[in-house]
């Protein structure tokens, strides 16, 4: 038998952008969630506006540059014009946008919480299921380690998790490193009850 649980990561804020301010000594900007647009003839420029955390001066992160207006989907154009929050967050977390602008994001500034059904190792050992599946849901990638999610949701110490990994009691279908892997939406973590028993007996 197999039991499945969901670990859902709720993100509370966009990452801070690291860039030297031209007006003060700060090097941290927050996303305002607003866009700036400029259309000349048949070309359109779109920026995502950031503000200095110290003096509130602005920095415009390029989203589209001299793009033919007819190539921008109408619904996306409207969302830019209306400062759609969901779209702003997508670009604020976009690694491609960051790369194109040659800037750096402080992913450590992202606050989050994990919504999950409380499940302990004892619950797993006393349950009827041989394989327990945990699926991760997250709207954005922000460098969060899978091991941190596992420890938080299962209440494990670093040593306990290491023992489980070494015994292959906890693993992933793709066989990537549980300790090094950065969380992506749809990640799956599996626990073998039989192998877990061998760890807990030691």
């Amino acid at each position: 038998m197999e039991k499945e649980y969901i670990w859902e990561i709720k993100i509370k804020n966009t990452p801070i952008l690291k860039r030297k301010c031209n007006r003060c000594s700060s090097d941290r900007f927050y996303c305002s969630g607003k866009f700036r647009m400029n259309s000349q003839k048949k070309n359109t420029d779109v920026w995502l506006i950031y503000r200095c955390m110290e003096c509130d001066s602005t920095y415009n992160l390029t989203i589209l540059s001299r793009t033919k207006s007819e190539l921008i989907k109408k619904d996306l154009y409207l969302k830019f014009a209306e400062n759609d929050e969901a779209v702003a967050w997508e670009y604020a977390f976009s690694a491609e946008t960051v790369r194109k602008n040659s800037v750096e994001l402080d992913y450590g500034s992202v606050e989050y919480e994990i919504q999950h059904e409380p499940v302990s190792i004892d619950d797993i050992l006393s349950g009827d299921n041989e394989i327990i599946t945990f699926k991760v849901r997250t709207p954005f990638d922000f460098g969060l380690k899978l091991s941190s999610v596992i420890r938080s949701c299962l209440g494990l110490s670093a040593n306990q998790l290491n023992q489980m990994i070494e015994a292959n009691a906890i693993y992933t279908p793709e066989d990537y490193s549980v300790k090094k892997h950065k969380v992506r939406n749809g990640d799956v973590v599996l626990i073998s009850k039989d192998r877990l028993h061998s760890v807990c007996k030691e």
Side-chain angles (χ1 to χ4, degrees), residues 7 119-121 124 134 149-156 170 191:
W7 290 337
V119 180
S120 69
I121 295 302
I124 295 173
F134 299 93
V149 175
I150 295 170
R151 288 182 57 193
S152 175
C153 293
L154 295 180
L156 299 174
I170 189 165
I191 293 182

Side-chain angles (χ1 to χ4, degrees), residues 19-98:
R19 182 180 186 277
K20 184 72 175 69
C21 179
N22 292 327
R23 287 181 53 186
C24 72
S25 60
S26 174
D27 62 353
R28 295 170 68 80
F29 285 71
Y30 70 92
C31 178
S32 71
K34 298 184 183 301
F35 295 97
R36 177 188 169 194
M37 302 177 68
N38 181 41
S39 295
Q40 292 185 348
K41 297 182 180 179
K42 295 183 179 181
N43 293 324
T44 296
D45 296 305
V46 180
W47 299 270
L48 180 58
I49 302 172
Y50 280 77
R51 291 189 173 277
C52 175
M53 297 185 71
E54 294 294 332
C55 69
D56 212 37
S57 63
T58 60
Y59 166 70
N60 295 330
L61 186 75
T62 301
I63 304 301
L64 298 176
S65 178
R66 297 188 61 79
T67 302
K68 292 188 180 300
S69 300
E70 64 268 20
L71 296 179
I72 306 174
K73 293 181 179 180
K74 290 183 179 180
D75 61 334
L76 180 59
Y77 188 95
L78 184 61
K79 288 178 179 179
F80 285 144
E82 295 178 342
N83 294 315
D84 185 272
E85 183 181 82
V87 173
W89 277 50
E90 285 181 19
Y91 284 106
F93 277 92
S94 170
E96 179 66 13
T97 299
V98 168

Side-chain angles (χ1 to χ4, degrees), residues 1-5 117 129-134:
M1 296 176 64
E2 188 172 325
K3 176 70 175 179
E4 180 179 299
Y5 297 92
E117 182 179 340
N129 306 105
E130 296 303 323
I131 299 294
I132 297 83
T133 302
F134 299 93

